[in-house]
Amino acid sequence: MPDTLPADSVGIVSPQTYHFDAPIDLACGQSLENYDLVVETYGTLNADASNAVLICHALSGHHHAAGYHSAEDRKPGWWDSCIGPGKPIDTDRFFVVSLNNLGGCHGSTGPNSINPETGKPFGPEFPVITVGDWVKSQALLADRLGIQCWAAVVGGSLGGMQALQWSLDYPDRLRHAVVIASTPRLTAQNIAFNEVARQAITSDREFHEGRYYDFDTVPRRGLMLARMVGHITYLSDASMGEKFGRELRDQAYKFGYDAEFQVESYLRYQGERFSESFDANTYLLMTRALDYFDPAYEFGGDLSKALAAASCEYLVLSFSTDWRFTPARSEEMVNAMIGARRKVSYAEVDAPWGHDAFLIPTPRYTDIFNAYMDRVAREVGA
Amino acid sequence: MPDTLPADSVGIVSPQTYHFDAPIDLACGQSLENYDLVVETYGTLNADASNAVLICHALSGHHHAAGYHSAEDRKPGWWDSCIGPGKPIDTDRFFVVSLNNLGGCHGSTGPNSINPETGKPFGPEFPVITVGDWVKSQALLADRLGIQCWAAVVGGSLGGMQALQWSLDYPDRLRHAVVIASTPRLTAQNIAFNEVARQAITSDREFHEGRYYDFDTVPRRGLMLARMVGHITYLSDASMGEKFGRELRDQAYKFGYDAEFQVESYLRYQGERFSESFDANTYLLMTRALDYFDPAYEFGGDLSKALAAASCEYLVLSFSTDWRFTPARSEEMVNAMIGARRKVSYAEVDAPWGHDAFLIPTPRYTDIFNAYMDRVAREVGA
């Protein structure tokens, strides 16, 4: 945390755990008898509970989206740039709910939680979770919090898929869906990168078919490789060039295979750090949720037919250099929304940072996001 | 081989091994006391040895570029589409030389060859080889074959880098350089993908710091991962979409991590097959040669200054959907060639197959390549 708390920070925040005792049926056919969701909230719920905004996280995200856990925290939550007083998701006006998704590894029930039936971590017995399952669990969380209808459900990347799914599964329970840097379904290339990540993890000898907890180890190298390849897809060629170019750590070539280029040591560092903090089974689960997401599938691939069920308004945002989920993929969604006679605002924002641009405030991105959320707030009298 | 040999095939070919007894000094400061190069030739060298064309191979390539090794061969050489009677590199007119590069794993001296000093495979003791080293060894091969000046040096991808390097290091020994789907140097993103591949190999427990031969094993999983990630970068998002889309192997989602999407099983198959036939140390070596290639480096990054030494003509070809080495990278080379007052023909060919397009004949690609090589042949009276 900085020495003085910035005026636009939500400040020190504490996560809360909600326990759910009723079983939840999942798309895979299995169910969880009971489970925990770890949640942070920022701002105050108004009297008619109309000012609530749900934040949905992406692959490696979690509930800690804004503020600091303690004065010693070096970094704020992962979307602190967009959540706080005066920011697009303005905590002076909105009551913001951010959770760690089911299957996560940051406190909500997931593969590294104890399976009450065996007294050991679930590991590979933890069911595969879909975007639809997440939305269902988030609706149960909304019930618990007394929120009948979200002012907005908001997410980037995999989070944007959840926002879109909300609008299909619970059309009466949200007024707006904000879908940022997302896609209506993965391409073969997207799935291919996920598959490389999964193979890296499952082929690590320390994986032990997902039971590594029992062996007091983690598939560190596999998780590191998965993160390295993922990380490349989050950045643009141009932004990597800008940041690292061909810069060497030392003066000259060393004619070996140690990290010589700055980009090599950066990637290794990112991979290593991630492998120390993220659960490998959760990584598999999150990538599979991405692969499976395809709301148009039951409608013969016609997303506008799927959207016939929806009634909310949409904000869709894409970033010019995002090659993971290109602007063309956002435009597919926008076209389908228009086809389904839905209200949709769309902008492709020029930004050099590739997919990661949704995490980085830039004037046009912030301005559009601000203006839209201001309208959302006015609608609910916030 | 097909039942009847196609009229435009070079037919059954046999590789030959050339032994070199004089030490070769390498860029890394080490030298090899002696070495073998395995070579195939197609066509006939004319009386004044002016019709010789050198083929330079890419990362996973080798000397077997055209024809069949036996009637039982199912597939011809890797560039059979472009080499043969009546093809762009017309073996009725040219004498074509194709070798496995030093450091390769298909017969030329490389990490899996026996180190005469120890009686064991070189493994990690094999020196890191640069594009310049390859060109030097190819010049020694030309001496051996009695070729003072190549009609053309031709290559795609890493092979194109060798063609470019030839024009700088031996300007009097080639008339034309044909540089296809290549780049004057890797970007940070290119290096990053190579680094993922190397980390996959070196972090495989079976790698044994490169001495896996002594342990009677190979880092199969690492090599498989390296190939999978490489393979994704050789294809375009569109061509993967066209070929696989989101097609499932079975009817419905299985809610697990086995290969369910066609693209997953394709990639696994490609990776597994590669890991059975390619040497891991050679893969490291080839990727490092790619990383290091940067002929402009000594000239303050100004490629046109590097090209002041050159005197050949150039054909540069790029492919519209190649995101590994984009058309913009070829245009950098073309601009530098023009800046250096060199003759250069350039075309960006529309093709959906990404980087791999240089291996796939398409009318415009073949027409341009044919026309240019026809001019090369006429110049030398072939």
Side-chain angles (χ1 to χ4, degrees), chain B residues 50-51 53 87-90 93-94 151-152 175-178 311-316 342-346 366-382:
Chain B
S50 65
N51 71 333
V53 170
K87 291 177 184 172
I89 300 167
D90 188 342
R93 306 170 84 185
F94 292 115
R175 298 176 63 92
H176 295 267
V178 179
S311 60
C312 73
E313 277 187 55
Y314 294 95
L315 171 64
V316 178
R342 303 264 45 89
K343 287 189 194 167
V344 50
S345 303
Y346 172 62
T366 307
D367 287 351
I368 292 169
F369 201 178
N370 257 325
Y372 193 89
M373 294 305 294
D374 177 55
R375 183 158 69 79
V376 174
R378 284 164 191 256
E379 278 178 18
V380 295

Side-chain angles (χ1 to χ4, degrees), chain A residues 186-187 195 198-199 203 205-206 221 237 246 253 255-258 260 264 268 288 291-292, chain B residues 186-187 195 198-199 203 205-206 221 237 246 253 255-256 258 260 264 268 285 288 291-292:
Chain A
L186 298 200
T187 62
E195 169 64 6
R198 283 190 295 264
Q199 284 287 318
S203 73
R205 278 222 210 158
E206 304 297 330
R221 302 294 293 183
D237 189 19
R246 297 178 49 82
Y253 292 158
F255 299 100
Y257 304 113
D258 286 342
E260 288 187 37
E264 294 178 293
R268 287 188 193 183
R288 214 35 152 180
D291 291 354
Y292 283 166
Chain B
L186 297 199
T187 63
E195 169 64 3
R198 284 190 294 265
Q199 284 287 318
S203 72
R205 278 221 209 158
E206 304 297 330
R221 302 295 294 183
D237 189 18
R246 297 178 49 82
Y253 292 158
F255 299 101
D258 286 341
E260 288 186 38
E264 294 178 293
R268 286 187 194 184
L285 180 151
R288 213 36 150 181
D291 291 354
Y292 282 167

Side-chain angles (χ1 to χ4, degrees), chain B residues 30-181:
Chain B
Q30 296 183 57
S31 56
L32 284 169
E33 287 308 301
N34 58 73
Y35 54 95
D36 291 334
L37 293 177
V38 61
V39 176
E40 285 184 11
T41 67
Y42 322 116
T44 309
L45 190 62
N46 61 8
D48 61 353
S50 65
N51 71 333
V53 170
L54 176 67
I55 307 296
C56 304
H57 70 71
L59 203 162
S60 61
H62 43 67
H63 54 288
H64 184 40
Y68 300 86
H69 279 162
S70 75
E72 286 68 44
D73 254 12
R74 285 176 54 213
K75 280 188 167 181
W78 59 268
W79 218 13
D80 196 79
S81 61
C82 289
I83 303 168
K87 291 177 184 172
I89 300 167
D90 188 342
T91 49
D92 287 341
R93 306 170 84 185
F94 292 115
F95 176 66
V96 180
V97 177
S98 174
L99 78 158
N100 185 215
N101 276 336
L102 212 51
C105 55
H106 291 88
S108 293
T109 300
N112 66 358
S113 305
I114 297 298
N115 181 349
E117 282 179 27
T118 64
K120 293 207 285 186
F122 280 98
E125 267 117 42
F126 197 84
V128 169
I129 305 283
T130 65
V131 170
D133 293 330
W134 282 330
V135 167
K136 192 187 222 182
S137 66
Q138 290 159 0
L140 294 164
L141 175 64
D143 293 343
R144 179 74 66 89
L145 297 171
I147 297 159
Q148 173 50 35
C149 182
W150 299 101
V153 176
V154 182
S157 192
L158 177 55
M161 294 176 176
Q162 294 161 57
L164 184 62
Q165 190 75 46
W166 258 98
S167 74
L168 307 177
D169 293 351
Y170 299 96
D172 304 332
R173 298 197 66 177
L174 75 167
R175 298 176 63 92
H176 295 267
V178 179
V179 181
I180 308 176

Side-chain angles (χ1 to χ4, degrees), chain A residues 103-181:
Chain A
C105 54
H106 291 90
S108 292
T109 300
N112 65 357
S113 305
I114 297 298
N115 180 348
E117 282 179 26
T118 64
K120 293 207 286 188
F122 280 97
E125 268 117 43
F126 197 84
V128 169
I129 305 283
T130 65
V131 169
D133 293 332
W134 282 331
V135 167
K136 193 186 220 182
S137 67
Q138 290 159 359
L140 293 164
L141 175 65
D143 294 343
R144 179 74 66 88
L145 297 171
I147 297 160
Q148 174 49 34
C149 182
W150 299 102
V153 177
V154 182
S157 192
L158 177 55
M161 294 175 176
Q162 294 161 58
L164 183 63
Q165 190 75 47
W166 258 98
S167 74
L168 306 177
D169 293 351
Y170 299 97
D172 304 333
R173 298 196 67 176
L174 75 167
R175 298 177 64 90
H176 295 266
V178 179
V179 182
I180 308 176

